[in-house]
């Protein structure tokens, strides 16, 4: 029931946005901003390229709203569009397409509790990032997408990353295992290591 | 499906430590209003992109600047060829030609929509155009005849 309700709400939002309701459009952006940004960052060479790809993806959606018939297909459409544009841009600029967050940007905000807890969280975030950064590029791309867009189906992830559909589940497991191993070897505090 | 704790932690890390910058989120909010301004009667369909060709060797510091991004678009009865060439850093020039399949020279202007507005160049008697001072980033060529938008292309990044 929950999924049907969500799907109906998504369909209503899409229809309202397509009919020119700016509040509905803003809500669509708010709901899916992290997905588009995550896909753009996962596949762009630089943060500046990711910003351009993010903007182009929303501009494209604004002009193609009427063509999205299934609201549940929207996250996949956004991820695929952002990835394709990132890859094309990287090729056009004769660059490789590395992944990642600039180290300087991984600065998790103050959670608002005591200094010991803050220090632990900061250390945990740093170790998590270090473990993530050591993963192969394909693993980073896959984990970034499934982390920021957990509602995206394996079929959509498969299409957006250009990987065979049947490989997504096993690859996700291998990448997570590899992340856990790297975190364990880095001595990550238990509350983050889970 | 249960979300593993590592994925939840990664999600928090990305959302808190690397969110989309507010300026691009604001641009995303404005996208739907821009789309209404430029509703076209026909799509300008991308049929060829030099970026889809073979990847050449990476450009090293001190070497010649990257070549033009060459794009071909099609609409009923017409082909639009556009080359985007980097001029000064962060700025592009678009040159190209609108070719009419009837052989009759097309009239009007080629508009390039970009992240902060749009720039336009009149078609000459052969259908050629030149549009200067385009900010690099998201762009979308539009063919405008008789003051009305005839065809608009999907957005891409140059």
């Amino acid at each position: 029931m929950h999924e049907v309700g969500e799907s109906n709400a998504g369909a209503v939002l899409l229809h309202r946005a397509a009919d020119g309701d700016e509040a509905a459009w803003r809500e669509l952006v708010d709901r899916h901003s992290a997905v588009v940004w995550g896909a753009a960052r996962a596949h762009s060479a630089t943060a500046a390229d990711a910003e351009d790809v993010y903007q182009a993806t929303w501009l494209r959606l604004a002009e193609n709203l009427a063509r999205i018939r299934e609201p549940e297909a929207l996250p996949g459409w956004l991820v695929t569009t952002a990835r394709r544009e990132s890859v094309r841009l990287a090729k056009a600029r004769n660059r490789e397409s590395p992944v990642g967050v600039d180290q300087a940007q991984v600065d998790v905000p103050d959670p608002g509790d005591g200094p010991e807890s803050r220090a632990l969280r900061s250390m945990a975030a740093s170790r998590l990032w270090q473990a993530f950064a050591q993963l192969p590029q394909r693993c980073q791309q896959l984990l970034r997408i499934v982390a920021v867009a957990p509602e995206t189906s394996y079929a959509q992830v498969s299409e957006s990353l250009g990987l065979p559909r049947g490989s997504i589940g096993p690859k996700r497991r291998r990448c997570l295992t590899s992340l856990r191993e790297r975190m364990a070897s880095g001595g990550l505090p238990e509350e983050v290591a889970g | 499906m249960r979300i593993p704790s590592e994925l939840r932690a990664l999600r928090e890390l990305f959302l808190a430590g690397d969110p989309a910058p507010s300026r691009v989120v604001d641009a995303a909010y404005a996208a739907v209003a821009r789309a209404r301004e430029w509703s076209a009667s026909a799509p300008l369909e991308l049929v060829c992109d030099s970026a889809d060709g073979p990847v050449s060797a990476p450009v090293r510091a001190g070497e010649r600047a990257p070549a033009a991004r060459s794009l071909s678009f099609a609409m009923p009865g017409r082909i639009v060829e556009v080359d985007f060439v980097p001029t000064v850093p962060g700025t592009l020039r678009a040159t190209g030609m609108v070719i009419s399949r009837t052989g009759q020279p097309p009239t009007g202007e080629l508009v390039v929509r970009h992240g902060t507005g749009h720039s336009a160049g009149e078609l000459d008697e052969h259908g050629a155009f030149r549009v200067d001072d385009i900010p690099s980033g998201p762009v979308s060529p539009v063919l405008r005849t008789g003051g009305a938008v005839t065809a608009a292309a999907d957005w891409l990044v140059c």
Side-chain angles (χ1 to χ4, degrees):
Chain A
M1 284 300 284
H2 178 69
E3 283 183 8
V4 171
E6 279 290 306
S7 177
N8 285 344
V12 169
L13 203 57
L14 262 180
H15 285 305
R16 281 173 47 208
D19 287 343
D21 182 335
E22 292 204 18
W25 171 257
R26 286 178 76 93
E27 195 176 334
L28 268 185
V29 173
D30 289 340
R31 277 190 184 195
H32 300 290
S33 177
V35 172
V36 178
W37 181 244
R41 289 291 272 134
H43 295 283
S44 295
T46 66
D49 285 353
E51 289 183 19
D52 288 340
V53 167
Y54 176 94
Q55 203 178 338
T57 302
W58 286 111
L59 286 161
R60 255 188 197 222
L61 177 64
E63 296 187 353
N64 290 282
L65 271 171
R67 295 184 195 173
I68 312 284
R69 295 178 191 279
E70 304 290 336
E72 54 272 23
L74 184 57
W77 188 95
L78 290 167
V79 170
T80 301
T81 302
R83 176 207 168 234
R84 284 184 184 157
E85 203 47 51
S86 300
V87 170
R88 268 208 309 205
L89 179 62
K91 285 169 74 178
R93 293 186 179 166
N94 295 331
R95 293 182 193 157
E96 291 191 349
S97 180
V99 172
V101 185
D102 298 338
Q103 185 64 42
Q105 289 180 298
V106 185
D107 184 15
V108 178
D110 185 346
D113 42 14
E116 282 181 9
S117 178
R118 280 204 302 275
L120 263 178
R121 282 172 190 270
S122 176
M123 189 168 68
S126 171
R127 285 183 181 157
L128 177 60
W129 163 244
Q130 283 170 16
F132 178 78
Q134 289 167 9
L135 295 175
Q137 179 174 322
R138 274 297 201 188
C139 270
Q140 291 189 32
Q141 290 171 335
L142 176 61
L143 291 185
R144 183 146 192 162
I145 297 300
V146 296
V148 298
E151 72 279 16
T152 309
S153 69
Y154 279 3
Q156 290 170 333
V157 173
S158 142
E159 189 187 346
S160 69
L161 294 179
L163 294 170
R165 186 171 175 172
S167 73
I168 300 297
K171 193 166 181 58
R172 177 180 178 270
R173 277 194 297 278
R174 281 199 301 276
C175 292
L176 275 173
T177 301
S178 184
L179 182 71
R180 283 180 193 126
E181 287 168 357
R182 284 169 166 81
M183 286 196 296
S185 65
L188 192 72
E190 282 180 12
E191 61 268 33
V192 170
Chain B
M1 183 193 297
R2 195 181 78 83
I3 299 173
S5 60
E6 294 86 354
L7 280 183
R8 286 201 303 272
L10 273 178
R11 178 182 167 83
E12 284 172 22
L13 184 69
F14 292 136
L15 294 182
D18 183 29
S22 57
R23 64 182 173 280
V24 294
V25 177
D26 288 343
Y29 288 148
V32 79
R34 292 197 71 181
R36 274 203 303 277
E37 263 177 63
W38 293 90
S39 57
S41 56
L44 207 48
E45 189 189 348
L46 181 66
V47 290
C48 189
D49 181 349
S50 58
D52 291 332
V55 179
S56 51
V59 176
R60 292 182 192 143
E63 287 188 349
R64 190 169 54 85
R69 177 92 174 262
S70 298
L71 304 161
S72 300
F73 300 91
M75 61 176 288
R78 286 178 195 174
I79 298 284
V80 180
E81 305 275 2
V82 190
D83 286 349
F84 284 97
V85 185
T87 51
V88 295
T91 307
L92 305 167
R93 175 193 303 134
T95 56
M97 184 167 275
V98 179
I99 302 157
S100 170
R101 285 180 177 142
T102 63
Q104 200 170 4
T107 56
E109 60 181 354
L110 193 288
V111 181
V112 178
R113 298 185 289 173
H114 51 72
T116 55
H118 67 273
S119 309
E122 288 287 329
L123 303 185
D124 70 12
E125 68 272 25
H126 307 293
F129 60 85
R130 171 182 165 139
V131 185
D132 288 307
D133 300 326
I134 303 163
S136 58
V139 294
S140 160
V142 171
L143 186 61
R144 196 152 60 177
T145 51
V149 175
T150 307
D154 262 341
W155 289 83
L156 49 87
V157 181
C158 282

